[in-house]
């Protein structure tokens, strides 16, 4: 552990958990020919439906350039389509295709093999408590910069 105090140790464990889950997910998704960020895009589109590419950027919590790269990669393989918005000629509307929905379901099954055992290593009550605590930490972090 880099940090000696309990607060630093907590955030180091959170960061390590994220890094390790992301790495395992990336490796597990490779045989499907999809990256972890591309999976994130399919997840958002599967749950929320079509949207403007800039909205997708916001949901992915990344910039528009990275989202464009993600979309171009997916569009080439046909899990998504992009078409110009009628209202705003500078905006692209991104939609998930039937092939994308199928790829998303395959990806979810693969990731369940990783996330399931990790989540089930603690009790349901522990998951509820952890979820509540992490939610509070995230809410606080997300409030930074909004108090102007």
């Amino acid at each position: 552990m880099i940090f000696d105090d309990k607060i630093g140790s907590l955030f180091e464990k959170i960061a390590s958990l994220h890094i390790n889950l992301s790495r395992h997910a990336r490796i597990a998704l490779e045989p499907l020919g999809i990256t972890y960020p591309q999976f994130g895009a399919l997840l958002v589109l599967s749950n929320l439906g079509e949207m403007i590419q800039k909205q997708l950027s916001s949901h992915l919590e990344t910039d528009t350039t990275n989202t464009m790269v993600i979309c171009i990669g997916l569009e080439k393989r046909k899990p998504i389509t992009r078409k110009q918005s009628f209202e705003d000629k500078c905006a692209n509307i991104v939609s998930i295709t039937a092939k994308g929905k199928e790829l998303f379901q395959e990806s979810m099954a693969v990731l369940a093999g990783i996330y399931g055992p990790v989540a089930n290593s603690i009790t349901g009550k522990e998951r509820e408590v952890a979820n509540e605590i992490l939610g509070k930490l995230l809410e606080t972090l997300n409030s930074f910069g909004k108090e102007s």
Side-chain angles (χ1 to χ4, degrees):
M1 293 284 169
I2 296 169
F3 298 107
D4 290 335
D5 65 339
K6 290 181 181 180
I7 293 174
S9 176
L10 170 68
F11 288 103
E12 188 173 347
K13 285 177 183 162
I14 291 170
S16 182
L17 183 65
H18 169 70
I19 290 166
N20 281 295
L21 280 173
S22 297
R23 181 174 49 84
H24 285 288
R26 180 182 48 79
I27 292 167
L29 291 171
E30 268 179 15
L32 298 178
I34 187 172
T35 66
Y36 194 56
Q38 289 173 335
F39 167 77
L42 292 178
L43 174 66
V44 169
L45 293 169
S46 180
N47 288 322
L48 301 178
E50 76 175 16
M51 65 185 62
I52 295 172
Q53 194 168 305
K54 189 173 182 178
Q55 292 171 308
L56 181 59
S57 291
S58 178
H59 287 292
L60 295 176
E61 298 181 3
T62 190
D63 61 69
T64 55
T65 302
N66 280 330
T67 301
M68 181 181 64
V69 171
I70 291 167
C71 288
I72 288 170
L74 286 170
E75 192 174 31
K76 285 180 183 173
R77 296 192 49 235
K78 309 284 190 237
I80 67 161
T81 58
R82 291 187 304 159
K83 61 184 178 211
Q84 192 176 50
S85 169
F86 292 116
E87 293 86 31
D88 181 355
K89 299 296 181 196
C90 295
N92 286 319
I93 297 174
V94 185
S95 304
I96 190 167
T97 64
K99 183 176 181 177
K101 290 176 183 175
E102 184 179 313
L103 180 58
F104 172 70
Q105 291 302 321
E106 290 174 32
S107 301
M108 286 295 289
V110 166
L111 293 178
I114 296 167
Y115 295 155
V118 173
N120 290 325
S121 69
I122 59 176
T123 67
K125 181 65 177 165
E126 289 171 321
R127 281 192 300 275
E128 286 178 32
V129 170
N131 194 40
E132 185 177 326
I133 291 168
L134 291 171
K136 285 180 183 178
L137 293 172
L138 185 58
E139 186 178 317
T140 301
L141 183 61
N142 287 339
S143 72
F144 289 175
K146 293 180 182 178
E147 299 145 359
S148 318

